[in-house]
Amino acid sequence: MATLKEIGLELGLSPATVSRALNGFPEVSAKTRDRVREAAERLGYRANRNAQRLVSGRSGMVGMIVKTRADLRADQTFMEILMGLSAALADRDTDLVLAVDQGRDPVAAYRRMLERDMVDGFILNAPVMDDPRINFLREAGVPFVLHGRDRLDADYPFFTIDNYAVAAESVQLLAALGHKRIAFLNGPVLYSHAVRRRAGYLDAMARFGLPVAEGALTHDEPSEAAGYRQAVSLLAGQRGAPPTAFICSSTLLAEGVMRAAKDRRLSVPEDVSVMAHDDDLPLLRAISFTPALTVTRAPLREACIPVATALMDLIGGTDPAELQTLTRAELVVRDSTGPAPRNGDTPWP
Amino acid sequence: MATLKEIGLELGLSPATVSRALNGFPEVSAKTRDRVREAAERLGYRANRNAQRLVSGRSGMVGMIVKTRADLRADQTFMEILMGLSAALADRDTDLVLAVDQGRDPVAAYRRMLERDMVDGFILNAPVMDDPRINFLREAGVPFVLHGRDRLDADYPFFTIDNYAVAAESVQLLAALGHKRIAFLNGPVLYSHAVRRRAGYLDAMARFGLPVAEGALTHDEPSEAAGYRQAVSLLAGQRGAPPTAFICSSTLLAEGVMRAAKDRRLSVPEDVSVMAHDDDLPLLRAISFTPALTVTRAPLREACIPVATALMDLIGGTDPAELQTLTRAELVVRDSTGPAPRNGDTPWP
DNA sequence: CTGAAAGCGCTTACAG
DNA sequence: CTGAAAGCGCTTACAG
């Protein structure tokens, strides 16, 4: 590995000038800058990160703490986020330090990392309402960015989709197709995104004058098995007249709903419409469903760069208020949704 | 953060002596060592890793490159390994750098990390037979450790269970229970562990004088769906007389087999015995199956510390030949295996 | 526009 | 047994 000194020797320049040239300082002449860059390229120069970090006083690492929970989908979405964040942070010469939250105290793992001065900031995901981790980190004065948002009046940097709109727009699409009995299989109500989607669903149903039957709004883990279980029960009419449409908080749930419909010899979308929110996981393509699944689509992958960038900017001193992003999922209408069937004219009482 | 200098000032010692005391150099007097340690503790001293790395000339990071494959289980086992390795490496003050292997060239991602001098070594998992990554890294002279083994005469550091024995012992247990038609649902034959298990199964069957029907040995992805699919086909007698026992290369496959048996109103273990190899994933407990699953058990978690330690030792100069570990899975007999049923007396032709 | 110097926090020959 | 000194590779006031 070449060093600044070696490049300097080669060019008859001081290491200081080489450093400035490489870092794009304006006072360096264009000619010197170009010569230095050429030589650096030729000699395969790469800055020694440890030296840079030593002098800047930063660790060059950011932390992420994983909650171990019995949530099968967590693996898939989490892997997706993990890969995306690693890549985005690597572009900023920053490493991601992972730790597992083993215990009952939700902030213990954060406290430990902080005491060890290991990281320059944190990335949090899957917030619950009024997340205790957020209060802790705010008081500790540590930079952090949320993927998601634990309260509407958040004053910290975050990146999230509009989860209220996700549910409301799904209802709107189905209502426009004439559906009156629309079930919503939501995620665990623990998570703030599920709380927002719940509100979006209920408000939209009310706006269209559609009552919601007892049991038509469920909160369960995002798995194929849970989707199947809930759909079987609803389609059997165990909780009032069966729905003519299902909105699912994840494509895994939709898989289970499709299987339940098939078991009852109901065809999609003729007898029952199915749609889902789609994180766009590479291993679970909504477009590969039969029929292709209508979704509100928001690739998890696309959240990674903004989240990583926001954290780096925050550490660099940017005002947190400028680092809040609320985006919308894209409505992708495919073949799993259609006009309400004949027998679907009656709303729930 | 306290520094060596500050501790030295506090105690009237030089930073050099403080460094030696903290690093346990033998020439430091016991009294000085204790004083230094006490002061370090009191001041909350933590060595600055970047300074240590700068002076040692090491990056303090090791790389791991994930193959993105359409293998659902990969997520779960991979997460398990990832968490375990992060923790084990953190204990050695080393970070794990993750990258995703996007493309067709299996060594491209390794080459890139190497060129950037980013890591001191690599951890590889899920080897295929005569893995090209291994040849590449060996020629490049880079330290690496395998979780698994791509050939029997491996000359590099590895940690693996005896996969031949996993299959052979399973056959042995079932043969001792009087089973004669034993099917083996194996993983993708691409992977070396599947190749070894295949050999163990075939050899053991031969040793007990049991022919193997066409189609009784399958190679499929380790998923519940694949287990179900294979078991349905075998139990229907589509590939000769139905098996009276199933050995599964993963607990996910066993889940599918159990479901298939239930669908056919076969009870486990009265009508059919089921056993599996168990990586002991926290989200998929063999003991929670109904009936509790008989397994060859080898917690993935337990491989992480030896793998991480081996890599650190290798980087530290230990002879690779001393860093090869072959362990055995533990046979845990539970309730899903029992004596062969009446109709199971005839071996396959 | 460029250089000489100091310093980030640590380790380790070299002296004594 | 301990200290003074040099050095790892970089950055950045301070001079000129």
Side-chain angles (χ1 to χ4, degrees):
Chain A
M1 284 296 281
T3 65
L4 289 186
K5 201 161 116 188
E6 285 167 27
I7 298 178
L9 244 39
E10 175 98 1
L11 262 32
L13 288 170
S14 73
T17 300
V18 176
S19 169
R20 284 187 282 247
L22 256 17
N23 289 310
F25 279 46
E27 62 263 33
V28 179
S29 74
K31 192 177 145 201
T32 304
R33 184 176 12 86
D34 293 345
R35 284 177 61 217
V36 169
R37 295 219 165 138
E38 182 278 326
E41 173 85 9
R42 180 160 41 83
L43 299 174
Y45 173 79
R46 297 246 100 216
N48 180 317
R49 281 196 207 176
N50 293 316
Q52 288 180 317
R53 290 171 181 179
L54 178 59
V55 73
S56 74
R58 290 200 190 137
S59 76
M61 305 194 283
V62 300
M64 184 155 178
I65 291 166
V66 192
K67 288 185 267 190
T68 51
R69 46 193 150 140
D71 175 336
L72 279 169
R73 190 194 58 157
D75 285 342
Q76 223 174 116
T77 59
F78 180 68
M79 276 295 289
E80 183 75 7
I81 291 175
L82 193 57
M83 298 289 108
L85 283 178
S86 307
L89 289 166
D91 286 344
R92 306 291 222 106
D93 277 350
T94 299
D95 297 316
L96 185 63
V97 183
L98 272 188
V100 185
D101 175 9
Q102 306 278 14
R104 36 234 77 124
D105 180 358
V107 305
Y110 292 85
R111 191 179 288 118
R112 190 163 40 74
M113 269 209 193
L114 237 40
E115 279 169 358
R116 299 186 157 221
D117 243 351
M118 277 181 65
V119 295
D120 302 324
F122 286 99
I123 291 171
L124 312 194
N125 77 334
V128 304
M129 294 303 286
D130 294 313
D131 200 303
R133 303 173 299 168
I134 293 170
N135 298 328
F136 170 75
L137 291 175
R138 192 199 274 115
E139 276 173 34
V142 191
F144 66 93
V145 171
L146 260 277
H147 179 228
R149 186 169 51 157
D150 81 324
R151 63 200 81 180
L152 287 178
D153 61 341
D155 59 354
Y156 50 75
F158 62 81
F159 180 95
T160 187
I161 57 168
D162 185 339
N163 282 296
Y164 182 93
V166 157
E169 285 181 9
S170 299
V171 169
Q172 186 174 359
L173 170 70
L174 294 166
L177 287 165
H179 290 274
K180 308 220 181 293
R181 300 196 301 272
I182 305 170
F184 182 33
L185 308 194
N186 199 0
V189 76
L190 171 71
Y191 296 113
S192 61
H193 74 264
V195 173
R196 290 302 296 153
R197 290 181 190 175
R198 178 188 172 89
Y201 166 76
L202 291 175
D203 287 359
M205 290 293 279
R207 205 163 57 242
F208 289 101
L210 301 174
V212 175
E214 182 93 18
L217 167 57
T218 67
H219 294 281
D220 207 337
E221 57 166 17
S223 70
E224 199 270 351
Y228 180 79
R229 182 172 60 235
Q230 302 288 2
V232 162
S233 154
L234 282 161
L235 289 172
Q238 287 174 12
R239 312 183 211 168
T244 65
F246 286 86
I247 304 169
C248 304
S249 239
S250 86
T251 44
L252 278 166
L253 287 164
E255 247 188 332
V257 173
M258 295 270 212
R259 178 156 69 91
K262 201 173 159 198
D263 277 7
R264 286 191 78 83
R265 312 231 181 284
L266 296 171
S267 50
V268 176
E270 289 77 10
D271 301 316
V272 57
S273 286
V274 181
M275 64 181 297
H277 180 69
D278 182 15
D279 290 322
D280 203 26
L281 302 176
L283 298 181
L284 195 68
R285 312 305 315 258
I287 201 164
S288 308
F289 278 57
T290 315
L293 195 62
T294 294
V295 297
T296 47
R297 179 173 170 277
L300 273 184
R301 210 169 312 122
E302 289 180 6
C304 294
I305 291 178
V307 167
T309 306
L311 183 54
M312 300 315 290
D313 289 351
L314 182 67
I315 292 170
T318 304
D319 181 1
E322 292 174 25
L323 299 171
Q324 303 186 326
T325 310
L326 180 69
T327 68
R328 286 185 88 99
E330 175 196 8
L331 184 63
V332 184
V333 180
R334 298 203 183 91
D335 309 328
S336 66
T337 45
R342 292 281 152 76
N343 65 353
D345 270 358
T346 343
W348 282 308
Chain B
M1 285 294 282
T3 64
L4 289 186
K5 200 163 118 186
E6 286 167 26
I7 298 179
L9 245 37
E10 175 98 2
L11 262 33
L13 289 169
S14 73
T17 300
V18 176
S19 169
R20 283 188 281 248
L22 255 17
N23 289 308
F25 279 46
E27 62 263 33
V28 179
S29 75
K31 190 176 147 202
T32 304
R33 182 173 17 83
D34 292 346
R35 283 177 63 215
V36 168
R37 297 221 163 136
E38 181 279 325
E41 172 84 10
R42 180 161 40 82
L43 299 175
Y45 172 79
R46 299 246 100 217
N48 180 316
R49 280 195 207 175
N50 293 315
Q52 287 180 316
R53 290 170 180 179
L54 178 59
V55 69
S56 75
R58 290 200 191 136
S59 75
M61 305 195 282
V62 301
M64 185 156 177
I65 291 167
V66 192
K67 288 185 266 190
T68 51
R69 46 192 150 141
D71 176 336
L72 280 169
R73 191 195 57 158
D75 285 341
Q76 220 174 117
T77 59
F78 180 69
M79 276 295 290
E80 182 76 6
I81 290 174
L82 193 58
M83 297 290 109
L85 283 179
S86 307
L89 289 167
D91 286 344
R92 305 291 222 104
D93 276 350
T94 299
D95 297 315
L96 185 63
V97 183
L98 272 188
V100 185
D101 174 8
Q102 306 277 14
R104 37 234 75 127
D105 181 0
V107 305
Y110 292 86
R111 192 180 288 118
R112 190 162 40 75
M113 268 208 194
L114 238 38
E115 279 168 358
R116 299 186 157 220
D117 244 351
M118 277 181 64
V119 296
D120 301 325
F122 286 100
I123 291 170
L124 312 195
N125 77 333
V128 304
M129 293 304 285
D130 293 314
D131 201 304
R133 304 174 298 168
I134 292 170
N135 298 328
F136 171 77
L137 291 174
R138 191 200 274 118
E139 277 173 33
V142 191
F144 65 94
V145 171
L146 259 278
H147 178 228
R149 186 168 52 156
D150 82 323
R151 63 199 81 179
L152 287 178
D153 60 341
D155 59 355
Y156 49 76
F158 63 79
F159 181 95
T160 186
I161 56 168
D162 185 340
N163 281 297
Y164 182 93
V166 158
E169 286 181 8
S170 299
V171 169
Q172 185 173 1
L173 171 69
L174 293 167
L177 287 165
H179 291 273
K180 308 221 180 292
R181 299 196 301 271
I182 305 170
F184 182 33
L185 308 193
N186 199 359
V189 75
L190 170 71
Y191 296 113
S192 61
H193 72 266
V195 173
R196 291 301 296 152
R197 289 180 191 176
R198 177 188 174 89
Y201 166 76
L202 291 175
D203 287 359
M205 290 294 278
R207 204 162 59 242
F208 289 102
L210 301 174
V212 174
E214 181 95 15
L217 167 56
T218 68
H219 294 281
D220 206 338
E221 58 167 16
S223 69
E224 199 271 350
Y228 181 79
R229 183 173 58 236
Q230 302 287 3
V232 162
S233 154
L234 282 162
L235 289 172
Q238 287 174 12
R239 313 183 209 168
T244 64
F246 287 85
I247 303 169
C248 304
S249 238
S250 86
T251 43
L252 278 166
L253 287 165
E255 248 188 330
V257 172
M258 295 269 211
R259 178 156 69 90
K262 201 173 160 199
D263 277 6
R264 285 191 78 82
R265 312 233 180 284
L266 294 172
S267 51
V268 176
E270 290 76 10
D271 301 314
V272 56
S273 284
V274 181
M275 64 181 297
H277 180 68
D278 181 15
D279 290 322
D280 204 26
L281 302 175
L283 299 181
L284 194 68
R285 312 307 315 258
I287 201 164
S288 309
F289 278 55
T290 315
L293 195 61
T294 294
V295 297
T296 47
R297 179 172 168 278
L300 273 183
R301 208 169 314 120
E302 289 180 6
C304 295
I305 291 178
V307 167
T309 305
L311 183 55
M312 300 315 290
D313 289 349
L314 182 66
I315 291 171
T318 304
D319 181 0
E322 291 173 25
L323 299 171
Q324 303 186 325
T325 310
L326 179 70
T327 67
R328 288 185 86 99
E330 176 196 8
L331 183 64
V332 184
V333 180
R334 298 202 183 91
D335 308 328
S336 65
T337 44
R342 292 283 151 75
N343 64 353
D345 269 356
T346 342
W348 280 309

